[in-house]
């Protein structure tokens, strides 16, 4: 069988490598004109994701620069109000949460796919999909077409595959938060820290960590009730963003103001999720990763879930009789888990919206208990394993 994979982010190359394990040859089609491993910010990847990632790449290749995943929380007066400690993760799950640069992760997966002989074609923006007589035909914006026996949509939250196959599917939901972030260096803050410091500031949430190379990786969340229009934020000027963030965090503890001031570039995104998509597959087409079930980033699970999907779907294709049965089994094995994680991420995101002083007082008081409770609740998330050798049928 020949598979068409749309999207060469995280899920795409991992899916192609998983399909190769079960004898399906894939070609990856990516909209971007070329690989750009310097693009994007950073993301958390937890044991459940790392344990799958190890199947595809040597972790050393991704962990050339990283920050730990332990989190210390502070209130707007810089008082420590909670900690999520990952100390037991290594012995319990075999890996420990880290933050990595998105480009390094994407690049390592793409190279692993290419080295395994999987072609990656750039400049291929999917426009439409046709399914007829056991064949999937896709057309791209450059006028070319491709044919295959199956198609896996790995094209992210604003998936063109999802729109083509399910034109009436709900659009991603705006969660009421914007996220900004970037990389900065400060002369007096170069030693890798033992944790990410997250501050519930007076009017916004701010997190930063110092990476193994001495770079500060930071992000902030801004509560904004109405969704920006698509691409509205793309052209935001650096000076405008610095001004907006400086005003938002003006009463919050240092080094927040210095980090913002010294930032040489700032990315800004609205945060969306897809709480529920009824169908993930139709005939010979199946969605995985953010295309099927995007989650808000507050518990750092989007990339890990996308990686989990790849191995489970390959296992279903290996063991089920026919593609429809495989895709249906895949959705039934995955949907409850991803929906629960999406709900939990929303809940955590809601604690970042700006409460009044009265609410702040109780949040600061209760957060240590809340954090301990949430950390215990992550066991079923981090402990997820795919038993590759188990036959599904
Ligand atoms: C601000 C922010 C912070 C995040 N933080 C975290 C975190 O800490 N931890 C975490 O696990 N996750 C995080 N995520 C989510 C994570 O980035 C995604 O869950 C993950 O990238 C999903 O992988 P994917 O392969 O499904 O999609 P993507 O990585 O988005 O890849 C999709 C690919 O498809 C391509 N594409 C799009 N349209 C087309 C088309 N029409 N034709 C061809 N190709 C196309 C894109 O160019 C892209 O390369 C965060 C997301 C955001 C926005």
């Amino acid at each position: 069988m020949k598979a068409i994979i749309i999207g060469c982010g995280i899920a795409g190359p991992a899916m192609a490598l998983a399909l190769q394990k079960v004898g399906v040859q894939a070609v990856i089609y990516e909209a971007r004109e070329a690989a750009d491993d310097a693009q994007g910010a950073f993301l958390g990847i937890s044991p459940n994701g790392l344990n799958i990632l190890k199947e595809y790449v040597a972790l050393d290749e991704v962990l050339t620069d990283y920050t730990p995943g332990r989190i210390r929380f502070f209130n707007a007066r810089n008082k420590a109000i909670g900690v999520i400690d990952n100390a037991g993760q290594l012995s319990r799950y075999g890996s420990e949460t880290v933050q990595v640069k998105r480009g390094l992760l994407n690049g390592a997966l793409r190279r692993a796919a290419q080295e395994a002989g999987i072609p990656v074609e750039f400049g291929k923006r999917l426009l439409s999909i046709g399914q007829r007589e056991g064949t999937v035909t896709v057309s791209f914006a450059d006028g070319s077409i491709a044919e295959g026996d199956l198609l896996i949509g790995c094209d992210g939250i604003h998936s063109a595959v999802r729109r083509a196959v399910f034109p009436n599917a709900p659009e991603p939901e705006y969660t009421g938060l914007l996220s900004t972030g970037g990389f900065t260096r400060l002369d007096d803050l170069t030693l890798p820290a033992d944790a990410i410091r997250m501050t519930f500031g007076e009017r916004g949430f701010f997190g930063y960590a110092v990476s193994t190379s001495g770079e500060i990786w930071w992000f902030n969340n801004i509560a904004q009730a109405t969704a920006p229009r698509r691409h509205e934020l793309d052209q935001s000027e650096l000076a405008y963003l610095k001004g907006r963030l400086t005003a938002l965090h003006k009463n919050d503890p240092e080094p927040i103001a210095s980090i913002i001031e010294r930032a040489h570039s700032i990315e800004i995104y609205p945060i969306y999720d897809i709480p529920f998509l009824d169908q993930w597959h139709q005939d010979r087409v199946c969605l995985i990763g953010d295309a099927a079930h995007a989650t808000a980033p507050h518990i750092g699970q989007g990339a890990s879930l996308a990686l989990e999907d790849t191995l489970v779907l390959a296992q279903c294709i290996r063991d089920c009789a026919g593609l429809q049965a495989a895709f249906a089994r895949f959705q039934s094995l995955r949907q409850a888990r991803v929906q629960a994680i999406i709900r939990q991420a929303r809940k955590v995101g809601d604690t970042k919206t700006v409460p009044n002083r009265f609410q702040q007082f109780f949040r600061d008081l209760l957060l240590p208990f809340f954090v301990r409770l949430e950390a215990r609740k992550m066991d079923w998330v981090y402990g997820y394993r795919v038993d590759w050798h188990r036959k599904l049928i």
Side-chain angles (χ1 to χ4, degrees), residues 6-12 29-32 42-45 102 106 124-126 154-157 160 179 269 288-291 295 297 300-304 306:
I6 302 297
C8 193
I10 292 168
Y29 298 93
E30 165 59 47
R32 281 175 287 134
F42 53 91
L43 48 79
I45 177 154
R102 183 186 296 263
N106 283 5
K124 298 289 178 187
R125 178 168 295 282
L126 177 104
C154 304
D155 53 342
I157 187 161
S179 183
Y269 321 76
I288 70 165
D290 274 14
T295 170
Q301 281 301 311
S304 295

Side-chain angles (χ1 to χ4, degrees), residues 363-377:
R363 180 194 62 198
D364 294 356
L365 196 69
L366 294 176
L367 197 76
F369 304 104
F370 177 67
V371 163
R372 271 203 296 279
L373 196 72
E374 288 298 312
R376 266 207 300 277
K377 277 204 277 176

Side-chain angles (χ1 to χ4, degrees), residues 116-139:
I118 295 159
V120 180
E121 295 197 20
F122 288 95
K124 298 289 178 187
R125 178 168 295 282
L126 177 104
L127 286 185
S128 66
I129 300 175
Q131 298 194 66
R132 203 157 52 91
E133 290 161 15
T135 305
V136 188
T137 307
V138 293
S139 62

Side-chain angles (χ1 to χ4, degrees), residues 23-34:
V24 178
Q25 181 61 41
V27 179
I28 305 174
Y29 298 93
E30 165 59 47
R32 281 175 287 134
E33 290 301 322

